[in-house]
Amino acid sequence: MSLFRNLMFLLLLLTCSTCANKADNVEEDFTRYVNPNIGTTHSRWFFYTPAALPFGMAKLAPSTNGSYGNKSGWEAVGYEDGHTSIEGFACFHEFQIGGVMLMPVVGEVKTRPGSLENPHEGYRSKFDKNTEVATTGYYSVVLNDYDTKVELTATDRVGYQRYIFPETDSAYIIFDIGNQLGESGAVKDAHIRLIDNQTIDGFVTTTPEYVKKYQSGTDLTMFFYAKLDKPVEESLVFLRGEKPLFGNEIKGVGSTMAVKFSTKEKERVLVKIGLSYTSIDNAKLNYETEAAAKTFEEVKQAAHEVWKEKIGRIRVTGGTNDDKIKFYTGLYHAILGRGLASDVNGAYPKNDGSIGQIETDSQGTPAHHHYNTDAIWGAFWNLTQLWTLAYPEYYSDWIKSQLLVYKDTGWLGDGIANSRYVSGVGTNFTGLAIAAAYNCGIRDFDINLAYEAAFKNEIDGKNRPLGAGKPDVSFFVENGFAPYAPELQNKTVPECWMFGTSHTLEYSFSCYAVAQFAKQLNKTKDYGLLNKLAGSWENIFDKETHLMRPRLTDGSFIKDFDPTAPWIGFQEGNAIQYTFYVPHEPERLIEKVGQSIFNNRLDSIFIISQSNIFGGGKELNAFSGLHALYNHGNQPNLQTAWLFNFSGKPHLTQKWTRTICNEFYGTEGIHGYGYGQDEDQGQLGAWYVMAAMGLFDVKGLTEENPKMQLGSPLFERIEIKLNQKYYPGDTFVIETENNSKENKYVQSLSLNGKIQKSVFIPFSDIASGGKVKLTMGANPDTE
């Protein structure tokens, strides 16, 4: 008996051990730290789309004020954390793109959304925040006025909207298609039709403000194909604000349709909406391929698994719970934006308005995807570095997508919406981003075509379309600077002649990047030209003030120079902020200013800026920090805190990057990315991720052999899973000892067990895998 008991006890131990091992091997789900509602006060149209996949086309979200319009193309409309009513649930959310909004209602069908102040004058509904659930790939809320629960999820190109109605003989779903939404611009045309009692399709054509500005005379179209799982009893059609009529089709601006059902208590009605930028047929194909056979629960779970894998490519241990929330929410935003524009069959919208076709294999699978994208302005200090580390396959796809535009038009775009030019800031860093990818070993694209496009982007101004950016590049190439020329501002967009000083800095940097690309391809003549142009920033450096100063067309510096005045020669910034914009030659800038002056000035700027939360304080405005000495809420400043690594004071980089992470970033609706500042499709979130890992490259990976600089990691351990299609290593690990809120300074560091004094890590060592180990302390190690 004793032997039997011993055997049973041993078996029990083995069983428990197996269970424990299984538990140990269960991967942590880091999506639990993602909170999409962070920073949603005064946020952009594309910012809040919880029901979406990474880089997807279908991006579903509630709209609280998306119908209010977007006068300049960038104002904060869509969803706001403080709003208390919802007007509908939109399917398209991109830079300059918004449309196809659905809204479930019960009772009388009203023909306007209504206002935030008077929600009951329209079909919008009040809601309680405590009924709202938002996470990666899923959203739900209860509409109080209709006693109806709404649930949203998505595949790449198909939106799922499920409504749980009360018992009623007058449940409706409103298809608000023909009205302006988000950043879409004015509607030009629309069409909705009820094909049968369970199928609705249509389109809306809009003229976004940035399309009007950079590619005048063109527009863009969104198509949909919707399947309902419950037959429609009757349908009403109307133009916004007009009397509804019975009908199954409507055309023109303002087109709206409401379809009616009788429902039992808590009856679910599901709508699957296939989306496309090319045609209704392709919207149908996207639906049939991705969604026809899949239930809501299946798609919701699949979306979660996709996010779990993508978010889990960077695993952190230690730090506070808030640190993790900010980290993974930032990572979420970094891989949410810049979504699909091509269909499952490789069809995509071309710049000229026709339909293009991406090459497919024998199974009909496209060789790559095409994407819509906000301008890449400043993204080399956040997004592209993060893509390089954890998402190189997307970075490669993004480049191939950009090269489609080049093949179709002869020019690289910067921001593109359905391949239409939406430059946004009038410059173009696409060539720089291509060169940086090449430097890091991401090379599975047409290298010769990419170089041709990048080189042309830097030096050619002849017949250059406005939307390709750099409209003053010929003047820059011929004179060594771009002018501040207010006398010419009315001849074209302001970006052409009003911001030449910042353009000089930007073009110098991008010329440097493409010069390194040229050097590696043995383009000796091109390298010489580009390398010379890379030093052009010195032509606007004022030796008297040690600042970058606007020069007029005749070459003279402007008089009555105010270094804190924005817009005078500088795009979205001022001379104080932009003087540090020499990322490719920081050592030369420090030499010209003087190391001691440089360090004292820069440290003082951060000391002063801390009281203003490193930007515009608590003012809810995307441009609130433009007059400040440092403005973390906008792209031109994002490298500045890392410059101490080049000026002999790396402990100040450690101090200020950690402080910015703790104070500029928050975990609330109103305090997320500053206070209502401009989180352009993941850029500020990506900066936090990089800084929290203590990894960054001021030069944006543009060196021939790139190096990253170390800062002050927030976590005890950071593990980055590397894509072995591109890199030889499996993981790269950063470990810290004695890390805490107080212990933010690096005391010693080692790379793969070897002690080193430098805070510079070759990217090749990162790509090969391995470990950096940092010992932290409360006092700076100035040695």
Side-chain angles (χ1 to χ4, degrees):
M1 198 68 182
S2 157
L3 178 61
F4 176 76
R5 283 198 302 267
N6 288 340
L7 286 172
M8 291 298 294
F9 181 67
L10 180 59
L11 180 62
L12 180 63
L13 282 177
L14 289 171
T15 302
C16 291
S17 175
T18 301
C19 292
N21 288 335
K22 285 183 178 178
D24 289 342
N25 290 331
V26 172
E27 288 193 6
E28 182 175 356
D29 186 353
F30 292 98
T31 64
R32 67 192 178 96
Y33 294 108
V34 175
N35 180 358
N37 286 67
I38 289 173
T40 52
T41 300
H42 197 78
S43 61
R44 294 282 293 275
W45 167 249
F46 46 70
F47 178 78
Y48 187 73
T49 60
L53 292 184
F55 311 119
M57 178 187 293
K59 294 180 177 177
L60 277 64
S63 173
T64 61
N65 66 345
S67 65
Y68 275 44
N70 210 255
K71 182 180 178 181
S72 302
W74 55 264
E75 289 89 350
V77 295
Y79 175 91
E80 288 237 4
D81 186 68
H83 291 169
T84 58
S85 65
I86 289 171
E87 62 185 357
F89 301 88
C91 296
F92 285 104
H93 285 82
E94 286 290 358
F95 178 55
Q96 301 300 292
I97 296 173
V100 184
M101 184 168 75
L102 280 63
M103 181 64 175
V105 303
V106 174
E108 177 191 3
V109 174
K110 298 174 182 177
T111 62
R112 296 181 183 277
S115 65
L116 290 164
E117 296 76 17
N118 298 295
H120 295 130
E121 67 186 7
Y123 55 70
R124 68 169 58 237
S125 170
K126 302 279 283 185
F127 74 103
D128 294 325
K129 294 289 289 185
N130 59 11
T131 71
E132 189 176 53
V133 175
T135 185
T136 50
Y138 176 76
Y139 175 88
S140 69
V141 71
V142 174
L143 301 176
N144 293 350
D145 295 340
Y146 305 122
D147 190 23
T148 297
K149 182 176 181 179
V150 178
E151 295 180 284
L152 311 175
T153 190
T155 67
D156 279 323
R157 300 172 180 87
V158 182
Y160 277 58
Q161 299 203 18
R162 186 166 70 180
Y163 316 121
I164 304 176
F165 284 107
E167 183 176 359
T168 178
D169 61 0
S170 57
Y172 290 89
I173 301 173
I174 296 174
F175 283 75
D176 187 340
I177 306 300
N179 298 290
Q180 182 174 354
L181 193 63
E183 294 182 357
S184 71
V187 171
K188 183 177 179 180
D189 195 13
H191 184 201
I192 319 171
R193 61 175 180 167
L194 180 66
I195 299 173
D196 57 45
N197 63 6
Q198 289 183 263
T199 311
I200 300 171
D201 68 14
F203 70 85
V204 57
T205 300
T206 68
T207 52
E209 293 303 316
Y210 277 41
V211 172
K212 287 162 59 178
K213 184 176 182 180
Y214 292 105
Q215 198 172 347
S216 179
T218 64
D219 49 47
L220 59 82
T221 302
M222 295 158 273
F223 300 90
F224 75 95
Y225 175 88
K227 272 288 188 181
L228 300 96
D229 70 347
K230 184 178 177 68
V232 171
E233 295 175 6
E234 64 182 37
S235 60
L236 303 174
V237 293
F238 54 91
L239 303 180
R240 178 171 285 182
E242 297 186 4
K243 183 179 178 180
L245 302 170
F246 290 108
N248 59 11
E249 186 172 15
I250 187 168
K251 299 179 180 180
V253 177
S255 291
T256 313
M257 177 180 285
V259 293
K260 182 182 178 183
F261 311 88
S262 297
T263 56
K264 299 176 182 178
E265 181 68 20
K266 297 190 182 303
E267 183 174 351
R268 290 174 167 82
V269 178
L270 175 63
V271 189
K272 303 178 185 180
I273 311 109
L275 306 172
S276 174
Y277 295 114
T278 62
S279 68
I280 290 174
D281 285 344
N282 279 328
K284 180 180 180 181
L285 179 63
N286 291 339
Y287 157 77
E288 291 174 339
T289 304
E290 295 185 357
K294 295 179 181 177
T295 67
F296 186 96
E297 295 301 334
E298 287 172 337
V299 169
K300 175 186 172 185
Q301 182 59 33
H304 175 76
E305 293 301 321
V306 170
W307 277 109
K308 181 180 175 182
E309 187 276 325
K310 291 288 193 299
I311 291 287
R313 291 191 188 184
I314 305 179
R315 305 165 63 85
V316 302
T317 305
T320 68
N321 194 61
D322 279 357
D323 291 338
K324 289 178 179 175
I325 290 171
K326 287 190 278 187
F327 184 89
Y328 284 109
T329 303
L331 185 56
Y332 160 79
H333 282 124
I335 58 175
L336 178 66
R338 302 166 197 271
L340 283 167
S342 56
D343 300 312
V344 292
N345 61 358
Y348 73 95
K350 294 178 69 173
N351 178 270
D352 64 3
S354 64
I355 299 174
Q357 179 62 51
I358 298 168
E359 182 182 353
T360 59
D361 63 18
S362 58
Q363 282 76 45
T365 303
H368 61 87
H369 301 300
H370 189 47
Y371 297 91
N372 286 310
T373 174
D374 195 354
I376 207 72
W377 196 55
F380 34 78
W381 288 324
N382 36 60
L383 285 175
T384 60
Q385 295 191 39
L386 184 55
W387 295 347
T388 301
L389 289 170
Y391 311 99
E393 73 282 5
Y394 173 77
Y395 198 171
S396 172
D397 238 24
W398 179 88
I399 290 171
K400 294 168 188 171
S401 175
Q402 296 288 335
L403 291 178
L404 274 185
V405 177
Y406 179 75
K407 285 190 285 188
D408 290 342
T409 67
W411 299 91
L412 287 172
D414 190 19
I416 51 174
N418 286 13
S419 297
R420 302 295 200 190
Y421 292 127
V422 285
S423 178
V425 290
T427 186
N428 191 327
F429 280 105
T430 307
L432 180 150
I434 292 171
Y438 182 88
N439 295 339
C440 295
I442 302 170
R443 300 179 178 181
D444 55 340
F445 49 84
D446 188 332
I447 302 298
N448 292 328
L449 182 69
Y451 176 76
E452 174 190 307
F455 181 70
K456 184 177 183 180
N457 193 46
E458 297 308 315
I459 55 92
D460 196 347
K462 186 178 180 181
N463 299 321
R464 189 179 186 115
L466 187 62
K470 299 193 174 189
D472 50 358
V473 72
S474 289
F475 193 105
F476 169 79
V477 172
E478 293 166 11
N479 298 279
F481 73 98
Y484 168 59
E487 73 278 7
L488 300 175
Q489 65 175 311
N490 294 324
K491 292 188 176 182
T492 182
V493 296
E495 290 90 321
C496 185
W497 299 112
M498 295 297 287
F499 310 132
T501 319
S502 56
H503 287 176
T504 301
L505 298 167
E506 292 170 333
Y507 301 173
S508 298
F509 180 29
S510 57
C511 279
Y512 170 85
V514 180
Q516 311 316 303
F517 197 6
K519 182 180 179 183
Q520 294 178 82
L521 297 180
N522 297 315
K523 307 282 188 180
T524 307
K525 183 179 177 181
D526 294 353
Y527 172 75
L529 172 61
L530 292 167
N531 201 45
K532 179 181 177 182
L533 290 170
S536 297
W537 65 270
E538 295 196 39
N539 296 329
I540 58 167
F541 183 82
D542 178 15
K543 295 178 181 178
E544 292 184 9
T545 61
H546 289 168
L547 295 169
M548 303 300 173
R549 185 169 181 171
R551 291 180 67 174
L552 303 174
T553 309
D554 64 7
S556 62
F557 283 122
I558 63 167
K559 298 178 181 179
D560 302 319
F561 176 43
D562 179 359
T564 63
W567 307 110
I568 308 298
F570 299 97
Q571 174 86 42
E572 300 181 24
N574 59 42
I576 298 288
Q577 295 171 9
Y578 267 101
T579 289
F580 300 100
Y581 198 119
V582 189
H584 58 299
E585 295 186 294
E587 300 92 342
R588 176 64 176 150
L589 174 65
I590 293 163
E591 178 186 338
K592 288 179 75 68
V593 173
Q595 185 174 356
S596 179
I597 295 173
F598 181 93
N599 283 325
N600 290 336
R601 177 192 285 180
L602 190 54
D603 192 34
S604 298
I605 284 172
F606 283 109
I607 291 169
I608 295 168
S609 299
Q610 186 174 10
S611 63
N612 213 27
I613 319 176
F614 300 104
K618 295 185 178 182
E619 180 186 351
L620 295 178
N621 188 313
F623 292 147
S624 60
L626 297 197
H627 289 83
L629 302 179
Y630 174 81
N631 181 22
H632 194 78
N634 213 342
Q635 285 82 344
N637 281 189
L638 296 182
Q639 88 293 3
T640 311
W642 295 85
L643 289 174
F644 294 109
N645 278 338
F646 294 85
S647 63
K649 299 282 186 180
H651 65 278
L652 291 178
T653 282
Q654 296 153 25
K655 171 185 176 180
W656 290 119
T657 56
R658 172 91 66 114
T659 306
I660 291 167
C661 283
N662 291 338
E663 298 180 14
F664 178 85
Y665 293 86
T667 59
E668 303 165 0
I670 193 169
H671 181 200
Y673 301 93
Y675 284 78
Q677 294 203 264
D678 199 0
E679 214 285 342
D680 280 335
Q681 289 199 304
Q683 293 210 52
L684 290 178
W687 190 96
Y688 181 93
V689 171
M690 296 301 298
M693 292 193 296
L695 274 182
F696 192 85
D697 182 23
V698 166
K699 301 186 180 187
L701 304 173
T702 59
E703 288 181 286
E704 180 181 357
N705 296 300
K707 296 183 290 292
M708 302 198 85
Q709 299 93 59
L710 293 171
S712 179
L714 291 176
F715 305 101
E716 293 173 9
R717 179 182 169 89
I718 300 143
E719 182 179 308
I720 304 169
K721 183 178 180 181
L722 301 172
N723 185 333
Q724 292 188 296
K725 177 182 176 182
Y726 297 92
Y727 308 129
D730 180 40
T731 59
F732 180 71
V733 175
I734 302 166
E735 285 187 352
T736 63
E737 282 188 359
N738 200 33
N739 201 347
S740 68
K741 183 178 180 180
E742 295 75 23
N743 294 348
K744 56 178 171 283
Y745 296 107
V746 177
Q747 307 297 301
S748 65
L749 69 93
S750 65
L751 174 61
N752 293 328
K754 295 181 179 180
I755 299 295
Q756 67 174 52
K757 292 290 186 180
S758 173
V759 293
F760 292 80
I761 304 292
F763 183 80
S764 59
D765 286 345
I766 295 173
S768 296
K771 181 186 293 185
V772 167
K773 193 166 185 178
L774 307 172
T775 303
M776 311 298 289
N779 299 309
D781 181 354
T782 58
E783 299 300 318

